[in-house]
Amino acid sequence: MKTTISLCAVLAMAMAMTAMPSPGFGQEAARLIDIPAQPLAAALTELSEETGLQVTAPSVLIDGQSGAAVSGELTPLQALSQLLQGTGLAVEDLGADGVVIVAGAEGRSDEGPLVLDTLSVTGLRDRTAQVGIFGEQNQLDIPYSVQSFSEEQIELVQPKSVIDVLELDPSVRPTVTSFAIGENYIIRGQNLFTSESLVDGLPGMVPVRRNSTAAYDRVELFKGPSSLLNGAPVNGNSAGLVNYIPRKAQEVSFTRAGVDYESVSLFGTSVDTNHMFENIAIRGFATVRGGQPGFDETDFSETVIGGSIGYFGDTVQADLNLLYQEQDLTGVNPIIFPRNSFLLDPPDRNENVFDDDLTFEHRVFTAIGGVQYQPADFVNLYAKGGFLKGRDEQLGGLFFIENDNGDGTAEPLLDFADTQNFALQSGADIDFTTGPVNHTFVIRGDYFNGSRDFGGGPIASFPSNLYDPVPTNIVSPGFGSETDFNDQRFWGVSFSDRLSVFDDRLTVTLGARYQRYNLSSSFNGTIKADELSPAASAVLRIHETWSVYASYIEGLGSPSSATSLAANFPAALAPPVTEQIEVGTKYRGERFDVSLAVFQTTVPNRFLDPVTNVDDYNGENRYRGVEVIVDARPIDPLRVNAGVLFLDAEQLETAGGLQDGLRPQASPSWSASLFTSYDVTDFATAFGRMIYTGSSFVDAREIYEVDANVRFDLGTTFDLEFDDRVVSMTAAVENVADTDDWIIGRNFVSQHRPRTFKLSLSTEF
């Protein structure tokens, strides 16, 4: 009998609309793989989970065998070769179908074919993740809450925005709908903007308003402040961050293509090709999509074109990645603000108080390159840089509800801007030993220079009704010359020492980051400031599959100046410091991966003191929570991926004490995400997803409350064979019950997407 072990990425398939088959094991770049010595069958299962490699092996060959320990930056093939050392077994490449384990030359027989049994294993989240200055790490060794979503998972989800991927984590929820002007979200109750994301660890390399996930191999989520690890965010929020890993050239050749459909009439097509020439690889990809999504007045189109060239030497690796994005959106969904104690039910999705007058478009070019040099086994040197140039133009709109009939005021807003950013990083990792202590000393320097010239302003407002809009014909005055500016220039240096003892079972990390700012804007003038941010953590490996950790880390906001109404005008305000303490445990088993985190995050709260009339960070918001995430395969055909967040959020030392003890905006007590899938046959899988968001308040005074809501998705996937070519098909329904709830933001709301039907076909050449 044979046993087949494969990573189907079934969870991600749940939402897949443009699913492209993942490349074979040889098509993946080297990544951190850490598998302890254990029975060979279990080791092969774990390798399949971590890499997506499909392995076919006769049980007569692997029963009673032990797999060697595997650790390091390896391709799946290299890891498999290490794992089989000492077994007398060999590997045969089956191309797109994976590999087969065979006896060595002296151990082969002439037995006939063996019957195959199939065992599928999967995990929603990668078992490794990038951790800023420390690079890629095993999840068991990371003293923070970090999640990594792979290229296959992104493609299978077919996201129209990054939130379609991130909301699989219970700590992340959108604050606006998918087809609003911006893409903002909350992480553990705190606000984060798209522009504060990183690309390959570099700030300022994403469009300001909206970003297409079609350009990236992987999305990484870090929950909480991270100054030591990732530097200062562009706009200063410390809720966490999202890091996009670009589609880089790989050490293999492949071509993939797919088409997709989404109701009502949104169609797309994608192609991705990579070719290897000795030590040089070249990759190109493109996505074109356009049509009408579920909102009646909305039309959406996007074009993503990118290319990458990579060099893979023995001691030197380098890459250059180019990307062009454009998006056009008409019939933009407006942002709704409650007034006078009124927050009503959402209107019919066919009703837009601005009809189809609201528009958005952007054109953005980015170039990111890096080089890594390893002169010795214990030294790693690297440098990378990025450049972004883009323009965005929008005719947006706000609607203020003023009575319980839905009457209110519609306020169109014109906004346009030119953005140009430049970022640099360079650093070194050095391993050495002092007595029984192993050290990894890390130092990294960062520089960022960004400018945003902008203009626009409000257009004449008009009365309307949320449920019975007044016909509109908004005349835009046009996108003229920029009148204002906001320039950011900051640099910093991070240094850290990771000390490990007892065969690396106990690791203690101590470090700090020095950050200096030089900000200039047409509103605040010039502001200079600096700050030192310490961090400390410890990880104890109780067992090869189980660790516990504790960490303290800080995050920095941007410095600013006191408002002109304050007694301390125009005094410069120091960068606000967010602090987080987290303790937790992580377990990685053969059938269960579990992580538990308990955290407290304190965020400075700025206001004008009613007694002293001083403008400063006089109060704080405190977020305490417990987060549990489980990836499980209790029986072979069934996968369960679940997460729950309990959040106790409270305002402290507010202006005049009027809001002390109240919850901050958009911070529900409970959030949960659940995905289950079941292999019905060898070629078909059924799946379902649930996203639950508890009740929360739109405002900081606890006046406008949004009820709890839950969304269900259902679907199925098939692998069909035509003329020796496998075509993957996914059919799904998002928001099966067509629930119409508010998405909660900070002081505003917007509408959830309607029931959406999705279909995709893809293949590989």
Side-chain angles (χ1 to χ4, degrees):
M1 183 182 68
K2 288 186 180 180
T3 301
T4 299
I5 304 169
S6 65
L7 174 61
C8 302
V10 177
L11 172 60
M13 282 178 152
M15 296 70 64
M17 295 307 106
T18 53
M20 295 183 182
S22 60
F25 73 93
Q27 297 178 1
E28 295 190 20
R31 57 181 297 173
L32 181 66
I33 299 176
D34 185 6
I35 299 174
Q38 57 188 303
L40 184 56
L44 290 172
T45 298
E46 188 164 337
L47 178 66
S48 180
E49 288 180 319
E50 288 203 15
T51 67
L53 171 61
Q54 179 172 295
V55 182
T56 301
S59 59
V60 295
L61 294 181
I62 64 175
D63 285 349
Q65 292 268 34
S66 295
V70 176
S71 181
E73 293 278 347
L74 304 166
T75 66
L77 177 58
Q78 292 169 336
L80 180 58
S81 297
Q82 281 193 20
L83 189 149
L84 294 177
Q85 287 180 2
T87 65
L89 302 178
V91 179
E92 286 187 4
D93 185 3
L94 301 180
D97 295 325
V99 298
V100 61
I101 304 298
V102 299
E106 68 280 2
R108 297 188 181 181
S109 68
D110 295 327
E111 294 181 3
L114 299 175
V115 179
L116 297 180
D117 289 340
T118 298
L119 170 66
S120 297
V121 295
T122 188
L124 167 62
R125 302 163 178 89
D126 278 0
R127 284 181 161 181
T128 63
Q130 293 282 341
V131 192
I133 63 173
F134 298 120
E136 192 161 11
Q137 299 290 318
N138 188 306
Q139 283 280 9
L140 289 175
D141 298 323
I142 300 174
Y144 312 101
S145 294
V146 183
Q147 302 296 346
S148 181
F149 302 94
S150 70
E151 173 189 6
E152 291 82 10
Q153 293 155 354
I154 295 172
E155 290 174 343
L156 293 170
V157 169
Q158 195 210 341
K160 296 302 181 292
S161 70
V162 68
I163 195 61
D164 294 330
V165 178
L166 296 180
E167 68 179 349
L168 295 169
D169 190 286
S171 296
V172 185
R173 290 295 181 264
T175 60
V176 292
T177 186
S178 299
F179 295 98
I181 286 176
E183 293 176 343
N184 306 327
Y185 24 91
I186 55 173
I187 301 178
R188 290 179 171 177
Q190 303 171 60
N191 209 37
L192 190 73
F193 298 105
T194 297
S195 58
E196 293 165 323
S197 302
L198 308 178
V199 177
D200 209 17
L202 291 170
M205 296 297 112
V206 296
V208 172
R209 303 289 185 183
R210 298 176 55 88
N211 188 30
S212 175
T213 54
Y216 307 104
D217 274 349
R218 192 162 70 180
V219 176
E220 298 175 337
L221 169 66
F222 189 99
K223 289 171 274 189
S226 60
S227 283
L228 170 68
L229 306 176
N230 299 294
V234 171
N235 291 323
N237 284 328
S238 296
L241 61 84
V242 177
N243 183 35
Y244 298 91
I245 305 300
R247 290 198 174 191
K248 297 183 179 182
Q250 300 179 9
E251 294 183 82
V252 291
S253 297
F254 64 86
T255 298
R256 293 172 277 171
V259 295
D260 63 270
Y261 161 80
E262 179 175 311
S263 60
V264 177
S265 59
L266 184 59
F267 295 89
T269 184
S270 301
V271 64
D272 185 4
T273 184
N274 190 95
H275 296 278
M276 186 72 187
F277 308 95
E278 294 185 355
N279 290 337
I280 296 177
I282 299 176
R283 184 175 185 178
F285 55 89
T287 296
V288 178
R289 185 174 288 119
Q292 182 183 336
F295 291 100
D296 188 55
E297 301 289 345
T298 303
D299 283 291
F300 171 77
S301 66
E302 71 170 347
T303 300
V304 177
I305 302 173
S308 174
I309 183 169
Y311 172 77
F312 303 92
D314 293 334
T315 59
V316 177
Q317 293 189 353
D319 61 79
L320 174 64
N321 309 283
L322 306 177
L323 176 66
Y324 173 77
Q325 297 186 54
E326 67 176 51
Q327 286 192 5
D328 292 275
L329 189 58
T330 61
V332 172
N333 286 273
I335 302 300
I336 309 298
F337 288 80
R339 277 182 179 171
N340 303 323
S341 302
F342 294 102
L343 179 59
L344 308 179
D345 293 333
D348 189 295
R349 293 188 181 94
N350 295 327
E351 302 293 348
N352 186 326
V353 293
F354 294 95
D355 290 331
D356 60 354
D357 291 338
L358 302 188
T359 63
F360 167 82
E361 68 175 53
H362 74 200
R363 308 288 185 266
V364 182
F365 170 79
T366 56
I368 296 175
V371 60
Q372 180 175 310
Y373 173 52
Q374 190 170 13
D377 291 342
F378 58 89
V379 178
N380 182 50
L381 309 175
Y382 63 90
K384 67 176 66 173
F387 171 79
L388 176 145
K389 186 175 181 62
R391 179 174 177 85
D392 53 271
E393 299 177 347
Q394 60 172 309
L395 176 58
L398 314 176
F399 184 76
F400 297 88
I401 304 173
E402 296 176 346
N403 63 36
D404 57 5
N405 294 320
D407 296 324
T409 302
E411 297 188 3
L413 296 170
L414 192 69
D415 183 21
F416 50 93
D418 289 310
T419 303
Q420 183 168 297
N421 295 333
F422 178 70
L424 282 176
Q425 280 181 5
S426 63
D429 309 338
I430 304 172
D431 297 328
F432 61 95
T433 301
T434 58
V437 182
N438 296 323
H439 298 259
T440 298
F441 181 78
V442 180
I443 184 169
R444 190 181 84 180
D446 301 81
Y447 174 79
F448 176 79
N449 191 330
S451 66
R452 183 168 173 82
D453 300 327
F454 57 95
I459 303 174
S461 61
F462 57 90
S464 190
N465 185 277
L466 186 66
Y467 305 109
D468 186 18
V470 174
T472 64
N473 185 21
I474 301 172
V475 178
S476 170
F479 301 100
S481 300
E482 294 80 4
T483 57
D484 299 293
F485 67 92
N486 183 21
D487 297 337
Q488 302 182 69
R489 186 168 69 251
F490 50 80
W491 62 269
V493 58
S494 298
F495 47 91
S496 176
D497 190 9
R498 302 182 70 191
L499 307 93
S500 57
V501 294
F502 309 130
D503 294 328
D504 296 336
R505 287 192 176 275
L506 175 62
T507 301
V508 176
T509 303
L510 303 173
R513 176 179 176 83
Y514 174 76
Q515 184 76 42
R516 183 161 184 82
Y517 297 87
N518 188 335
L519 310 182
S520 180
S521 72
S522 51
F523 299 106
N524 295 323
T526 299
I527 301 172
K528 297 181 179 181
D530 58 5
E531 192 73 35
L532 184 69
S533 302
S537 66
V539 178
L540 176 62
R541 281 276 195 121
I542 297 176
H543 186 268
E544 291 178 337
T545 61
W546 181 25
S547 67
V548 295
Y549 68 89
S551 61
Y552 170 83
I553 195 166
E554 294 183 354
L556 286 180
S558 296
S560 56
S561 61
T563 176
S564 60
L565 301 176
N568 56 332
F569 173 79
L573 306 183
V577 178
T578 297
E579 299 177 290
Q580 178 170 284
I581 299 172
E582 180 171 310
V583 296
T585 184
K586 300 178 183 181
Y587 172 78
R588 188 182 72 180
E590 183 177 348
R591 290 190 177 272
F592 292 88
D593 284 6
V594 182
S595 64
L596 167 68
V598 180
F599 62 89
Q600 174 178 290
T601 308
T602 55
V603 183
N605 189 15
R606 178 180 174 181
F607 60 84
L608 187 67
D609 191 286
V611 177
T612 64
N613 200 37
V614 170
D615 180 17
D616 207 343
Y617 293 92
N618 298 303
E620 68 180 24
N621 292 343
R622 184 181 65 198
Y623 301 85
R624 291 173 171 169
V626 179
E627 177 187 83
V628 180
I629 293 177
V630 178
D631 282 4
R633 183 171 52 86
I635 58 176
D636 293 343
L638 176 66
R639 267 82 54 194
V640 178
N641 304 98
V644 177
L645 171 69
F646 170 72
L647 186 65
D648 179 19
E650 184 178 9
Q651 300 177 65
L652 305 173
E653 301 178 24
T654 60
L658 298 178
Q659 294 168 199
D660 287 2
L662 302 183
R663 296 185 68 86
Q665 307 104 304
S667 54
S669 296
W670 292 94
S671 300
S673 300
L674 171 67
F675 176 88
T676 60
S677 66
Y678 190 87
D679 294 334
V680 181
T681 68
D682 290 343
F683 58 87
T685 298
F687 57 80
R689 181 172 70 158
M690 182 274 292
I691 304 294
Y692 171 82
T693 305
S695 62
S696 187
F697 292 96
V698 177
D699 65 312
R701 297 174 296 162
E702 293 191 356
I703 296 176
Y704 309 116
E705 185 175 11
V706 173
D707 293 335
N709 60 81
V710 62
R711 191 188 87 210
F712 293 96
D713 307 331
L714 294 173
T716 186
T717 64
F718 297 91
D719 286 334
L720 308 175
E721 188 170 342
F722 299 97
D723 296 328
D724 296 328
R725 183 177 303 282
V726 175
V727 176
S728 298
M729 182 180 73
T730 301
V733 182
E734 185 178 295
N735 191 6
V736 173
D738 198 26
T739 56
D740 191 6
D741 302 301
W742 289 121
I743 296 175
I744 185 171
R746 293 203 161 197
N747 298 316
F748 60 84
V749 292
S750 60
Q751 279 185 275
H752 271 289
R753 295 180 63 190
R755 181 190 297 118
T756 303
F757 298 92
K758 298 182 176 182
L759 178 67
S760 71
L761 296 171
S762 63
T763 191
E764 183 169 348
F765 301 93

